[in-house]
């Protein structure tokens, strides 16, 4: 995947307003908005009391930050295409590079904003005849439900705004630092392609990649089972999404993808939904649930980490 190294400055810091009245369920405070961080910017913070997510509607609807208390998990790099979490349409061959500006850079319209939900929509990309939307909701823990930490569930939508049928798949790209961490998902190591690009270890029922560095960019693809996890610095980030069946991925793409930028800069955790034929006016919807869980520090693959993931996704 091509990358341009033009320098840009990621705008300022986020000002968070005081905590509002606590919710009865689980003692989590209601969400609160963040003040704009630049002229014309609409920036929002969704929080469940322990985990907070910052979204900049004015800059491609990007997720700029995901923190457990004051501990950040997303890349905060100031280089373009190297920070936060974004959303593209797949396959990439339809637009090549750079990312489609209407989806990745331009301002999204705020459709709905409440204590636990933010709905935003992109401009229409006339070249592709598509628009995208992001519906971000906080889900609080349920007694007897998944895990102990709340989720942020993002429901992405892609709408065919053109006059002809169009096939497309949803694609989430989340950038994390390339520090001392582990990336893992369920897939046979020998099925990860292209072979030999990155070193994966198969153990404890998962394929594991221990972060490293190299002088070139690298990317692998895999047919997973509906989840992708990243562990570093005592935090476990779990992504849960639909498990694709054979033949459902976009041409040349895959359900799970890991991109490692050259050097020791950042890594992209990528997942894709089903390749879908949309008639004019039709839209697809695809959801990804994010969990951020504090875990005792570990440097090697372990059955414990897999078990924690399974507690949330099964």
């Amino acid at each position: 995947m091509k990358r341009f190294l033009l320098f840009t400055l990621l705008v300022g810091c986020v000002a968070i307003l005081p905590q509002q009245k606590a919710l009865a369920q689980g003692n989590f405070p209601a969400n609160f908005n963040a003040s704009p961080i630049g002229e014309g910017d609409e920036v929002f913070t969704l929080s469940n009391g322990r985990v907070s997510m910052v979204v900049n509607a004015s800059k491609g609807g990007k997720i700029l930050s995901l923190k457990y208390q004051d501990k950040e998990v997303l890349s905060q790099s100031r280089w373009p295409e190297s920070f936060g979490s974004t959303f593209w349409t797949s396959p990439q061959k339809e637009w090549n590079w750079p990312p489609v500006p209407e989806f990745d850079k331009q301002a999204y319209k705020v459709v709905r904003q409440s204590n636990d939900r933010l709905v935003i929509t992109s401009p229409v990309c006339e070249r592709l005849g598509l628009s995208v939307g992001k519906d971000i909701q906080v889900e609080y823990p349920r007694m007897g439900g998944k895990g102990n930490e709340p989720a942020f569930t993002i429901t992405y939508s892609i709408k065919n705004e053109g006059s002809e049928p169009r096939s497309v798949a949803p694609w989430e790209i989340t950038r994390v630092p390339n520090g001392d961490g582990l990336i893992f998902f369920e897939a046979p190591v020998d099925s990860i392609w292209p072979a030999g690009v990155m070193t994966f270890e198969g153990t404890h029922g998962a394929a594991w990649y221990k972060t490293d560095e190299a002088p070139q960019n690298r990317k692998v693809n895999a047919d997973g089972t509906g989840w992708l996890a990243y562990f570093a610095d005592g935090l476990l980030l779990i992504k849960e999404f639909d498990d694709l069946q054979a033949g459902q991925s976009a041409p040349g793409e895959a359900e799970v993808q890991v991109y490692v930028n050259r050097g020791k800069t950042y890594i992209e955790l990528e997942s894709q939904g089903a390749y879908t034929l949309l008639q004019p006016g039709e839209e697809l919807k695809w959801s990804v649930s994010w969990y951020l869980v504090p875990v005792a520090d570990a440097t090697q693959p372990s059955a414990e980490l897999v078990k924690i993931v399974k507690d949330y996704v099964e």
Side-chain angles (χ1 to χ4, degrees):
M1 185 182 295
K2 298 177 183 177
R3 291 291 188 275
F4 289 98
L5 296 180
L6 298 176
F7 181 80
T8 189
L9 181 65
L10 179 61
V11 184
C13 59
V14 178
I16 299 177
L17 300 183
Q19 181 171 305
Q20 295 179 353
K21 183 180 178 181
L23 296 179
Q25 184 178 12
N27 259 348
F28 297 121
N31 304 332
F32 35 80
N33 294 327
S35 300
I37 58 175
E39 185 177 354
D41 275 2
E42 289 186 285
V43 179
F44 303 90
T45 298
L46 302 173
S47 174
N48 56 50
R50 293 190 290 261
V51 183
S52 61
M53 174 182 285
V54 177
V55 182
N56 189 341
S58 302
K59 298 290 195 303
K62 281 191 177 67
I63 298 170
L64 300 181
S65 171
L66 183 71
K67 289 183 178 181
Y68 190 93
Q69 296 177 343
D70 61 351
K71 205 169 186 179
E72 180 66 64
V73 71
L74 300 186
S75 171
Q76 299 297 298
S77 168
R78 292 187 174 188
W79 295 99
E81 327 303 348
S82 67
F83 60 87
S85 185
T86 188
F87 179 80
W88 300 336
T89 57
S90 178
Q92 186 172 349
K93 68 179 182 180
E94 296 288 334
W95 46 268
N96 194 24
W97 193 261
V100 177
E102 290 88 349
F103 307 154
D104 189 72
K105 299 286 192 303
Q106 294 184 12
Y108 279 55
K109 178 183 178 182
V110 177
V111 176
R112 177 174 175 179
Q113 172 201 347
S114 64
N115 278 347
D116 55 5
R117 188 177 179 190
L118 177 67
V119 182
I120 55 178
T121 58
S122 79
V124 176
C125 173
E126 299 295 344
R127 178 163 62 97
L128 298 179
L130 300 170
S131 65
V132 306
K134 303 178 184 182
D135 184 345
I136 306 169
Q137 298 188 59
V138 178
E139 295 184 1
Y140 299 95
R142 299 175 297 276
M143 294 300 294
K146 295 181 178 180
N148 296 313
E149 294 298 333
F152 289 87
T153 295
I154 308 172
T155 299
Y156 298 100
S157 60
I158 303 176
K159 184 176 181 181
N160 184 353
E161 304 278 4
S163 58
E164 300 292 334
R166 189 168 189 91
S167 293
V168 67
W171 185 5
E172 183 185 73
I173 300 92
T174 300
R175 300 173 180 120
V176 295
N178 186 355
D180 296 323
L182 297 167
I183 294 169
F184 59 106
F185 50 87
E186 278 187 304
V189 169
D190 58 8
S191 71
I192 299 172
W193 56 278
V197 172
M198 292 156 57
T199 300
F200 278 83
E201 175 185 355
T203 186
H204 304 298
W208 302 76
Y209 166 68
K210 191 170 184 179
T211 56
D212 61 6
E213 60 181 305
Q216 70 277 354
N217 303 332
R218 297 165 287 160
K219 184 171 183 176
V220 296
N221 306 269
D223 177 17
T225 59
W227 61 267
L228 172 61
Y230 166 77
F231 177 78
D233 195 25
L235 289 179
L236 176 62
L237 173 62
I238 305 167
K239 300 289 200 77
E240 182 185 13
F241 39 85
D242 289 339
D243 180 18
L244 299 188
Q245 304 305 306
Q248 285 190 302
S249 297
E253 305 286 351
E255 176 184 327
V256 171
Q257 300 174 315
V258 178
Y259 168 84
V260 182
N261 198 59
R262 62 182 176 272
K264 203 160 188 179
T265 50
Y266 71 95
I267 293 173
E268 290 181 350
L269 310 176
E270 306 180 11
S271 52
Q272 296 198 20
Y275 191 53
T276 304
L277 176 64
L278 296 178
Q279 298 297 330
E282 286 188 334
E283 71 175 5
L284 65 80
K285 292 189 176 183
W286 177 68
S287 296
V288 183
S289 290
W290 298 29
Y291 304 93
L292 191 58
V293 184
V295 179
D297 207 9
T299 58
Q300 301 297 328
S302 70
E304 178 190 4
L305 286 174
V306 175
K307 182 182 183 302
I308 293 171
V309 171
K310 295 296 184 72
D311 285 343
Y312 283 90
V313 304
E314 291 187 347

